[in-house]
């Protein structure tokens, strides 16, 4: 899990204030990134735990219910893309939830303090197709 400020994805040409990436790797090395866009609004208690941990002293750990970090609607856009940090490898499946979560101004300021302006410039679609969908959480 990590964050970018501002967001790396844009919606109608506008970048939300931040974007959280939940990076997954399959046993055979395929990459899937779940992206949660962030708008300024009400404070998020689940994301506060992430913030406390990510900005705490080295070695700080916590347990987070990842489902609690996702927006209430799991409608998403998906496309084939690349990593947004060097080596920017291709072959990454992206799932970007269309409904942002909100963090308070104070929470966003804490993110900015450790992740200020680490967003890769927006890349063109270059013929790629963006698909829409709706996901469901399943507990096992
Ligand atoms: Zn990222």
């Amino acid at each position: 899990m990590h964050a970018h400020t501002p967001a790396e994805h844009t919606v109608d040409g506008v970048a939300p204030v931040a974007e959280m990436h939940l990076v997954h790797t399959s046993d055979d090395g395929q990459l899937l990134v779940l992206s949660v866009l962030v708008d300024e609004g009400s404070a998020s208690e689940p994301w506060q735990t992430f913030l406390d941990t990510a900005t705490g002293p080295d070695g700080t750990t916590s347990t987070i219910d990842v489902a609690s970090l996702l927006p209430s609607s799991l409608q998403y856009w998906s496309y084939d893309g690349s990593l947004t940090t060097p080596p920017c490898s291709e072959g990454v499946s992206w799932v970007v939830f269309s409904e942002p979560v909100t963090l308070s101004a104070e929470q966003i300021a804490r993110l900015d303090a450790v992740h200020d302006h680490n967003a890769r410039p927006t890349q063109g679609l270059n013929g790629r197709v963006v698909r829409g969908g709706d996901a469901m959480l399943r507990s096992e």
Side-chain angles (χ1 to χ4, degrees):
M1 295 173 57
H2 60 267
H4 297 272
T5 62
E8 296 187 310
H9 288 92
T10 58
V11 179
D12 294 330
V14 177
V17 293
E19 181 171 343
M20 307 293 194
H21 288 165
L22 310 174
V23 182
H24 300 74
T25 307
S26 68
D27 290 341
D28 63 354
Q30 297 293 305
L31 289 171
L32 166 74
V33 183
L34 299 180
S35 169
V36 179
L37 302 173
V38 178
D39 279 344
E40 184 176 324
S42 303
S44 166
E45 189 173 320
W47 281 107
Q48 184 64 43
T49 303
F50 168 79
L51 285 169
D52 290 343
T53 306
T55 61
D58 284 351
T60 302
T61 62
S62 61
T63 300
I64 298 174
D65 175 7
V66 174
S68 71
L69 303 177
L70 303 179
S72 55
S73 164
L74 296 182
Q75 291 191 338
Y76 63 86
W77 299 294
S78 66
Y79 68 95
D80 297 327
S82 57
L83 294 176
T84 65
T85 53
C88 299
S89 309
E90 295 191 348
V92 178
S93 296
W94 282 90
V95 173
V96 180
F97 294 107
S98 55
E99 178 184 74
V101 298
T102 62
L103 298 184
S104 68
E106 180 185 357
Q107 290 177 315
I108 292 167
R110 285 185 68 187
L111 267 184
D112 264 338
V114 292
H115 292 296
D116 191 27
H117 301 296
N118 63 342
R120 182 187 186 192
T122 305
Q123 306 296 303
L125 281 176
N126 297 320
R128 294 175 292 175
V129 175
V130 177
R131 299 169 297 274
D134 200 356
M136 253 175 39
L137 288 177
R138 186 179 69 191
S139 56
E140 294 182 14

